[in-house]
Amino acid sequence: MLIFLVVFGHMISTFADTPEVDVIYKIIFSFHMPAFIFISGYLSKKPQDVMKNVKNLLIPYILGYTLTWAAQIWLGNKMDYELLRPSGTVMWYVLALFAYRLTIEAFGKIRFIVPLSIIFALWAGTRMEFSTFLSASRIVVFFPFFVAGYLWKSEYTKVIRKFKGKIVVALFVIILLFVATNYMIGNNIPVDLFRGNHSYLASGMDNVEGMVVRGMMYLISFTVIFALLVLMPDKRHPFIFLGRNTMGIYFFHYPIMILTNGLMILNIPQLMNVWALFGVSLLFVLILGSLPVDWIYTNIMGLITFILFKREKKVEDEGLEDEYDNEEEDRFAVLAQRRMAIEELAATWDTSFDTEEKEEHEEGQS
C-alpha cells in the first residue's frame, strides 16, 4: 500500500494545484513516507554490514540519481548533476536509509532516543544548514520514524491488534486526516514541511509556527502508523510480492514518469484526472514490482558490484597469518622458558630448605 502511495503521490504532484488533488496530495504526504521509513527501521534489526549497505543502497543511489538526470537531459530539460544534493529525484530516501543503517546500532542504545530525535528535528528546522545537501534535512526529520520502527517489537503489534474497536480507530484516523488537511489548506501551510526538505523559513513560516506544524506532523504520522498496525490484515494476498520488490518500483518509477510526462503521454486529456492516474499508478506498481523487473534490477546491481568490488574470500595477506602465528609461537616459547626458570628456582629453594631441615634434625638428635 505504501509503495503504491509513493508512486501515486508522484503521479498527481503535477496536478496538485487543483483543489481535489491538493487534498489527496496533502493526505498522502502526511503519513506515507513516515510509515514507509518506520517499516524500514523495523526491518533493519540485524547487525549492519557496511559493505553490504554500500552495495545495496549507495550504488543504487548513484545509479538512480544518474538515471533520473539522464532522463531529464534526454528530454532537453536543464538539470545540474549534483550527486550530493538529490533534490529533483526520489533517491534521497535511499541515501537516508544508508545513513540510518550505518548509525542505528549506536543511536538505538540511547535512552529516550525517539523523543530526543524529535526535539532535535524540531530544532533543526530553525537552522538553514539543514538543507537538501546530502538530504541532511530529511535525514534528521524522518529519523524518529526509523528509530521507532527499529525499537518496535512484534510483541507490541500482537498486543495492539487485540483491540476490538478497529472501526473506531479507522474513523478516528479519517477524521484526523480530514481536519489536518483542512487546517493546512486554510492556513496556506505548504506540503514542503511534511516532506522535511527545507527549514521553516524556506517553507514560508517563522520558527515558532514551523515547530508547531512539524510537531503536528509527528503526532499525525505516528497516529496513522499506529492505526495501520492495528488495521493491517493477517491474510496473505496475491499482491504480497509487491512488498518484497519495492526497490525496483522505487528505482524505476520516477525516471519512467519523467519520460512519459516529457513525451506528453500522461498529458492526454483522458488521463488528466485523479482516477485515471490512480489506475496508471497501479499499473506502474504491478509491472515494476513483477518478478522479471526485480530479476533485471537484481542482476544489474549484481553485475555492477561484481565489476567494482573484489570477491569476498578468506584473507591470506602475504604471510601475515604466518607472521602472527610465529609471534604466538615466540610468545609461548618465552612463557615456557620463564615457567621453567621459575620451577628450577622453586626446586632449588625446596632443596635448600630440605637440607637445612635435615641439618637441624641431625643437630637435635646429637
Side-chain angles (χ1 to χ4, degrees):
M1 184 191 72
L2 293 174
I3 191 61
F4 168 78
L5 290 178
V6 169
V7 176
F8 185 50
H10 291 147
M11 282 285 183
I12 66 175
S13 61
T14 309
F15 314 106
D17 54 344
T18 61
E20 298 81 5
V21 175
D22 188 42
V23 171
I24 298 173
Y25 192 65
K26 284 182 167 61
I27 289 175
I28 291 174
F29 274 83
S30 65
F31 75 90
H32 82 304
M33 283 313 297
F36 204 97
I37 292 172
F38 178 90
I39 294 175
S40 298
Y42 182 78
L43 298 175
S44 300
K45 295 179 182 293
K46 293 182 179 180
Q48 296 299 315
D49 181 86
V50 176
M51 183 55 65
K52 185 177 181 180
N53 282 311
V54 169
K55 294 177 180 178
N56 294 341
L57 295 173
L58 195 58
I59 297 300
Y61 165 75
I62 297 171
L63 292 177
Y65 181 90
T66 304
L67 189 62
T68 302
W69 172 83
Q72 294 282 18
I73 297 302
W74 185 75
L75 291 172
N77 301 327
K78 183 179 179 181
M79 178 179 176
D80 295 331
Y81 190 83
E82 296 182 292
L83 189 60
L84 301 183
R85 195 181 298 274
S87 55
T89 72
V90 298
M91 300 310 294
W92 68 268
Y93 161 74
V94 182
L95 183 62
L97 188 57
F98 178 74
Y100 293 156
R101 286 186 171 175
L102 291 185
T103 58
I104 190 59
E105 291 182 17
F107 283 125
K109 296 177 181 178
I110 299 176
R111 296 182 186 275
F112 313 113
I113 183 59
V114 175
L116 287 176
S117 60
I118 290 176
I119 293 172
F120 185 80
L122 294 176
W123 169 81
T126 66
R127 310 298 303 175
M128 297 296 291
E129 54 264 31
F130 288 96
S131 63
T132 57
F133 183 74
L134 289 177
S135 293
S137 180
R138 278 173 163 167
I139 288 175
V140 170
V141 169
F142 289 106
F143 180 70
F145 302 108
F146 185 86
V147 73
Y150 178 80
L151 296 175
W152 188 264
K153 297 180 181 179
S154 59
E155 290 80 7
Y156 303 160
T157 307
K158 293 178 182 178
V159 170
I160 65 174
R161 287 176 66 79
K162 293 179 181 179
F163 183 70
K164 301 299 182 181
K166 294 187 176 182
I167 296 178
V168 176
V169 174
L171 289 175
F172 176 77
V173 168
I174 292 172
I175 294 171
L176 177 65
L177 291 174
F178 177 79
V179 171
T181 303
N182 279 275
Y183 175 82
M184 292 177 65
I185 294 174
N187 292 274
N188 294 319
I189 296 175
V191 77
D192 283 350
L193 200 69
F194 282 77
R195 289 175 176 168
N197 209 17
H198 302 286
S199 66
Y200 304 136
L201 294 177
S203 299
M205 290 175 287
D206 59 56
N207 290 334
V208 175
E209 183 185 11
M211 293 178 73
V212 171
V213 175
R214 181 165 287 176
M216 181 183 71
M217 182 268 286
Y218 284 119
L219 179 62
I220 295 170
S221 298
F222 275 117
T223 302
V224 175
I225 290 170
F226 177 83
L228 289 175
L229 292 172
V230 173
L231 301 172
M232 180 171 42
D234 287 326
K235 297 179 181 178
R236 295 179 63 86
H237 295 278
F239 53 80
I240 197 72
F241 68 93
L242 297 175
R244 298 194 182 100
N245 302 332
T246 54
M247 196 60 178
I249 301 172
Y250 198 88
F251 185 89
F252 288 116
H253 85 275
Y254 200 69
I256 294 176
M257 191 186 76
I258 290 173
L259 292 175
T260 52
N261 275 329
L263 297 174
M264 307 301 289
I265 296 175
L266 291 181
N267 291 333
I268 299 173
Q270 289 78 5
L271 295 179
M272 299 286 285
N273 64 80
V274 174
W275 290 110
L277 292 177
F278 184 94
V280 174
S281 301
L282 184 60
L283 190 63
F284 264 58
V285 170
L286 291 174
I287 294 175
L288 297 179
S290 63
L291 291 178
V293 175
D294 180 67
W295 183 87
I296 292 171
Y297 172 82
T298 302
N299 282 276
I300 289 175
M301 295 304 165
L303 177 62
I304 292 172
T305 54
F306 175 78
I307 294 172
L308 293 179
F309 299 100
K310 297 179 181 179
R311 293 181 61 186
E312 296 181 3
K313 57 183 180 179
K314 185 177 179 181
V315 178
E316 296 180 359
D317 283 339
E318 300 176 358
L320 286 178
E321 290 184 352
D322 295 337
E323 183 178 332
Y324 290 137
D325 291 341
N326 292 335
E327 288 180 359
E328 290 289 321
E329 293 175 0
D330 293 341
R331 187 165 63 87
F332 286 125
V334 171
L335 290 175
Q337 291 176 358
R338 291 178 179 175
R339 188 178 295 109
M340 186 179 298
I342 293 172
E343 290 175 353
E344 291 177 354
L345 182 60
T348 303
W349 284 2
D350 291 341
T351 303
S352 62
F353 287 145
D354 291 342
T355 304
E356 290 178 359
E357 289 178 359
K358 183 177 180 181
E359 290 176 352
E360 290 176 357
H361 179 70
E362 289 178 350
E363 289 178 358
Q365 286 184 340
S366 61

